[in-house]
Amino acid sequence: MMKVIILLLLFIFPYSIVRAEDGSKLWLRYVSVSKDVAHNRSISIHSKDPIILLAKQELVNFWGKQSIELAVDRKLTYLKDGFKITGNLNRIKVIAHEPVGLLYAAYHLLQLQATNQPVSNLNIEEIPSFDIRILNHWDNLDRTVERGYAGYSLWKWDELPGVISPRYEEYARANASIGINAVVINNVNASPQILSSQYVIKLKSLADIFRRYGIKVYLSVNFSSPKILGGTKDSDPLNPEVILWWKNKVKEIYQVIPDFGGFLVKANSEGQPGPQDYGRTHADGANMLADALKAYHGVIMWRAFVYNPSSEDRAKQAYQEFVPLDGAFRDNVIIQIKNGPIDFQPREPFNPLFGALQKSNEMVEFQITQEYLGFANHLAYLAPLFKETLDSDTYADGKGSTVAKLTDGTLRPARKTAIAAVANIGEDINWTGHHFGQANWFAFGRLAWNHELSSEQIAEEWISMTFSTDNKFIDPVKKMMMGSRETVVNYMMPLGLHHIFAFDHHYGPEPWGDQEGGRPDWMPWYYHHADTVGLGFDRTSNGSNAISQYRPPIQEVFGDIQLCPDQYLLWFHHVPWSYTMKSGRSMWDELCYKYDAGVQQVRAMQQVWDRLEGQVDQQRFVEVQSKLKIQSRDAVWWKDACLLYFQTFSKKPIPYDIERPVHELEDLKKIKLMIKHHN
Ligand code: GCU
């Protein structure tokens, strides 16, 4: 019976359309070459290095064009782990400084082939923008994933090291194909258990697989590990017993994993332990660990995401905490700074800490997982968000001091430069929950490799490798992706609004939110300040004065209500409802139009996608289509919730030419989603 149905389906639909397509292959859809093709070209290099052999094997399997000669030249240090590709129709020559450079070159060539780029006349030189291109997994040892929306963690700790899931290697290959060379395996809210000898052995089995793809493993560590795991009296970073415990632990790790990368630390933040528990500073804590790692060339990524419930504006606290410590950190410490000063909102101005530290290494932390952008239900292509931060001019070392140039070694030479992002990867068959979530993993890797790539180019690469090389498909999908993040900003938090999410899980709107006894800095009212006068957080000198943390030219722009770009207006100013915006509309009307635009834009995304039916396999078509329906409903929910709530303060009508609310505010206030947040 089944056979008959399949035959029937094959008759009705062409083969490519009925073939099951679950997204598990990501952007890695290289086609194996035939024996004939393989016979007519050679892929040559003599080496026993496992990475080089892998690079060669990928080309042997999938390269369908001319012959390729691979070589490592140890003199070409300027290439770092990049590569050079030159050649004509007959022969291609690939040179790298490190074996892994040949692997990256192999994937580069396969990408050119997969995206139908000419390969008859090549002259390419690629040197990665950052040395360490790292994913941060917020995966717990019980396999729940903090802020993860793609199922359980990939890491099956109970089975390791005995059972090796084939997905470990698939994951490593996907990362290597876009240049990612490091992973923090566990949640920043770290369990001390990860440092137990038992887990170090488990970790080794992952490290052994990842190493073949040029990927180093790192761990998030809990600052109280010596006390909890080692039975020391405390975890004071100046206590010799504690220092010794870490030294021995680091030695143990390197004995098992000789190329271990280092530690990521969330200390004295959101209830995590840290050096301040003992009256010590972040520098005391970071340096103690840095000293333990130094001999092994290990790195400490010390997070600047620290804030406490106090009368001080949360947006100012990381800067206040870290600037006085500038110069006190060891050179193998990198301060890991979230892109914005609050917390991965749909839009934030850049974090003023970038460039404010003159003598300390800095790196950016992005969030790929969509904690604040509709989880894995909403399509939001994040390359434009990443680029917005990287291209922001801080003026720290004069004009042109972009966040990218401050962190990639251009303006501030560093032992090692780095860039991180919180992964959106889980056990789901398509890895990221939403098929388009894969694009954000891809985009982070590509930008970490080369932050000068445009969002458009990255989108185009991803679409053509993942879905179709047909321009009739690429063009509309690219356009849809390019506008998608701004669309989310419009229907969630336009004009610089931020953090008006439902409590704790952060899915959906709750601008009215108020948790009895809850921390004020976790409440929406703390951020939007709606009252009868207006809306927005006054961060000028009349308010919290957070603008003082920016350099003069930026400070003047952000601090002046007339000059401040609309997109940051309510971030920096408490603006009267009737204030006349650049568009000539009142602030209230502008807000209404923005929310409405967001809704209309999602509808337009649905139309774009629906028109493409038949140009994409049915499974992914339907899955994306149904997510867009959710997104469309959520956009209306956001618009109604925010406008009806803010209207209780503005007391003004919603402009009559936009779509009317379809919900009652009181009904929306009753929505309480039972989504667990695991940490
Ligand atoms: C956010 C997020 C937490 C996470 C924290 C962090 O606040 O909601 O789940 O632990 O960021 O980055 O440490």
Side-chain angles (χ1 to χ4, degrees):
M1 180 63 187
M2 202 55 202
K3 260 191 192 153
V4 176
I5 295 175
I6 291 172
L7 278 176
L8 208 68
L9 283 172
L10 278 174
F11 181 72
I12 304 171
F13 301 102
Y15 175 65
S16 64
I17 294 180
V18 263
R19 194 180 45 174
E21 235 319 346
D22 51 23
S24 58
K25 287 196 225 143
L26 296 163
W27 50 89
L28 299 157
R29 287 151 197 274
Y30 315 132
V31 184
S32 300
V33 295
S34 68
K35 279 206 180 105
D36 266 4
V37 171
H39 190 73
N40 286 324
R41 57 103 176 102
S42 67
I43 311 291
S44 58
I45 182 164
H46 292 294
S47 170
K48 290 207 175 88
D49 183 296
I51 293 191
I52 294 179
L53 290 177
L54 177 67
K56 183 173 173 178
Q57 196 57 47
E58 292 282 26
L59 292 169
V60 166
N61 292 345
F62 304 111
W63 181 250
K65 317 259 168 164
Q66 64 272 58
S67 294
I68 303 180
E69 233 176 80
L70 303 163
V72 170
D73 184 341
R74 287 292 182 184
K75 291 193 295 296
L76 302 179
T77 47
Y78 78 97
L79 277 181
K80 299 185 172 178
D81 52 346
F83 53 82
K84 270 170 80 156
I85 305 177
T86 49
N88 53 32
L89 250 184
N90 297 320
R91 184 165 291 273
I92 290 178
K93 180 135 180 96
V94 179
I95 302 182
H97 170 248
E98 292 173 29
V100 71
L102 293 182
L103 185 63
Y104 296 142
Y107 290 124
H108 190 90
L109 283 167
L110 293 176
Q111 176 169 321
L112 292 179
Q113 177 178 261
T115 55
N116 294 336
Q117 304 297 310
V119 292
S120 51
N121 185 16
L122 295 175
N123 192 3
I124 298 167
E125 184 174 277
E126 297 253 334
I127 304 169
S129 300
F130 298 92
D131 300 326
I132 306 174
R133 306 174 291 274
I134 189 164
L135 283 180
N136 290 184
H137 285 265
W138 284 0
D139 294 21
N140 297 313
L141 302 187
D142 66 2
R143 299 194 60 221
T144 56
V145 180
E146 178 148 357
R147 312 305 181 182
Y149 314 106
Y152 283 102
S153 168
L154 282 178
W155 327 126
K156 299 187 173 177
W157 294 107
D158 286 350
E159 296 180 354
L160 287 168
V163 182
I164 300 295
S165 154
R167 293 195 87 182
Y168 301 152
E169 182 162 356
E170 290 168 26
Y171 162 84
R173 182 173 183 241
N175 277 336
S177 77
I178 49 175
I180 289 172
N181 65 356
V183 292
V184 178
I185 227 75
N186 62 318
N187 193 354
V188 283
N189 298 314
S191 160
Q193 217 44 43
I194 191 78
L195 287 175
S196 66
S197 304
Q198 192 197 0
Y199 273 89
V200 172
I201 298 295
K202 291 171 187 283
L203 185 67
K204 174 194 180 332
S205 58
L206 292 177
D208 288 346
I209 298 166
F210 297 170
R211 184 177 303 113
R212 299 208 295 272
Y213 289 85
I215 297 167
K216 286 188 180 178
V217 295
Y218 289 65
L219 287 180
S220 293
V221 296
N222 182 303
F223 205 77
S224 288
S225 299
K227 183 169 178 216
I228 299 172
L229 213 58
T232 54
K233 179 171 113 276
D234 54 37
S235 293
D236 181 347
L238 301 194
N239 173 354
E241 201 195 359
V242 170
I243 297 172
L244 186 67
W245 187 87
W246 281 110
K247 244 185 125 175
N248 287 335
K249 183 50 76 180
V250 165
K251 188 169 168 200
E252 177 192 341
I253 297 173
Y254 278 94
Q255 267 162 2
V256 179
I257 306 168
D259 58 349
F260 178 72
F263 296 145
L264 171 65
V265 193
K266 172 176 179 177
N268 293 118
S269 164
E270 300 186 328
Q272 292 299 319
Q276 293 178 337
D277 303 351
Y278 308 98
R280 315 298 184 195
T281 67
H282 283 281
D284 294 330
N287 291 344
M288 182 271 294
L289 293 173
D291 289 343
L293 286 159
K294 179 96 185 166
Y296 309 93
H297 307 291
V299 171
I300 291 289
M301 294 167 174
W302 191 270
R303 296 178 88 226
F305 180 67
V306 297
Y307 65 101
N308 279 309
S310 71
S311 56
E312 190 53 281
D313 178 1
R314 174 175 167 185
K316 290 173 71 180
Q317 294 184 31
Y319 181 103
Q320 287 174 335
E321 191 75 52
F322 280 86
V323 169
L325 297 175
D326 191 19
F329 294 97
R330 301 280 192 267
D331 69 351
N332 59 334
V333 174
I334 312 180
I335 307 301
Q336 179 165 317
I337 306 168
K338 288 189 180 182
N339 59 292
I342 299 285
D343 191 10
F344 301 136
Q345 299 302 291
R347 170 166 281 126
E348 298 192 31
F350 70 87
N351 195 320
L353 201 47
F354 290 116
L357 299 179
Q358 306 278 348
K359 289 171 275 179
S360 315
N361 304 316
E362 296 184 333
M363 63 187 281
V364 185
E365 175 180 322
F366 288 118
Q367 193 181 44
I368 308 175
T369 190
Q370 291 172 228
E371 171 180 357
Y372 295 106
L373 289 114
F375 294 7
N377 282 339
H378 294 198
L379 193 164
Y381 173 53
L382 298 181
L385 185 161
F386 301 157
K387 286 207 58 109
E388 194 169 286
T389 301
L390 290 168
D391 294 344
S392 289
D393 196 344
T394 67
Y395 284 84
D397 294 353
K399 194 170 165 36
S401 305
T402 60
V403 172
K405 287 189 179 153
L406 282 167
T407 54
D408 73 357
T410 309
L411 296 172
R412 308 274 178 90
R415 245 182 97 247
K416 282 225 183 292
T417 61
I419 186 164
V422 182
N424 61 346
I425 302 158
E427 206 187 19
D428 279 5
I429 190 72
N430 70 11
W431 301 85
T432 55
H434 196 306
H435 288 289
F436 278 77
Q438 298 177 358
N440 296 331
W441 174 9
F442 183 88
F444 169 70
R446 295 293 288 133
L447 285 172
W449 180 268
N450 179 1
H451 60 64
E452 282 173 7
L453 291 173
S454 69
S455 302
E456 286 91 339
Q457 177 174 340
I458 296 170
E460 191 162 330
E461 289 173 2
W462 178 78
I463 299 164
S464 51
M465 292 177 83
T466 306
F467 283 111
S468 163
T469 48
D470 185 342
N471 281 333
K472 288 207 280 304
F473 184 86
I474 295 174
D475 292 345
V477 174
K478 186 168 75 176
K479 209 161 155 229
M480 170 176 84
M481 287 170 74
M482 285 304 296
S484 59
R485 181 275 186 137
E486 201 62 40
T487 296
V488 177
V489 170
N490 285 341
Y491 65 70
M492 283 189 184
M493 277 163 254
L495 303 180
L497 281 173
H498 51 291
H499 224 309
I500 55 176
F501 293 93
F503 185 67
D504 198 39
H505 56 69
H506 302 153
Y507 191 88
E510 217 170 75
W512 51 82
D514 198 6
Q515 219 73 14
E516 222 172 299
R519 284 173 63 154
D521 53 352
W522 285 348
M523 299 306 146
W525 52 258
Y526 177 97
Y527 299 97
H528 64 61
H529 288 267
D531 58 20
T532 50
V533 178
L535 182 66
F537 198 136
D538 185 353
R539 292 191 163 107
T540 68
S541 52
N542 300 323
S544 80
N545 205 19
I547 53 140
S548 66
Q549 296 181 340
Y550 291 90
R551 304 278 162 158
I554 302 282
Q555 200 181 99
E556 281 141 26
V557 173
F558 288 169
D560 182 335
I561 193 169
Q562 305 275 351
L563 299 177
C564 185
D566 280 5
Q567 61 189 34
Y568 301 130
L569 193 65
L570 305 178
W571 184 283
F572 289 110
H573 299 272
H574 189 67
V575 182
W577 297 109
S578 52
Y579 176 78
T580 308
M581 304 285 291
K582 297 188 183 70
S583 64
R585 294 184 184 124
S586 70
M587 185 272 280
W588 165 251
D589 282 1
E590 186 76 12
L591 191 72
C592 294
Y593 282 108
K594 284 281 180 201
Y595 273 105
D596 190 57
V599 170
Q600 303 312 325
Q601 285 156 348
V602 186
R603 303 244 170 89
M605 286 161 72
Q606 289 184 282
Q607 285 172 342
V608 168
W609 189 251
D610 282 356
R611 277 202 189 100
L612 294 169
E613 183 162 18
Q615 290 190 58
V616 54
D617 54 276
Q618 195 63 13
Q619 182 173 349
R620 286 187 296 174
F621 174 77
V622 171
E623 286 170 1
V624 171
Q625 183 184 52
S626 92
K627 295 256 176 181
L628 283 169
K629 288 178 187 164
I630 300 173
Q631 188 169 1
S632 204
R633 291 194 293 272
D634 285 354
V636 175
W637 174 25
W638 270 99
K639 165 180 171 264
D640 285 6
C642 296
L643 291 185
L644 292 173
Y645 175 70
F646 291 136
Q647 192 179 35
T648 64
F649 299 94
S650 80
K651 310 258 187 256
K652 292 173 186 298
I654 292 170
Y656 295 106
D657 55 341
I658 70 173
E659 211 173 283
R660 314 319 297 159
V662 294
H663 298 100
E664 300 294 342
L665 179 58
E666 290 314 309
D667 292 340
L668 296 176
K669 284 187 177 178
K670 285 185 205 131
I671 298 177
K672 281 276 164 222
L673 300 178
M674 299 302 289
I675 306 173
K676 254 216 177 105
H677 153 220
H678 307 273
N679 66 5

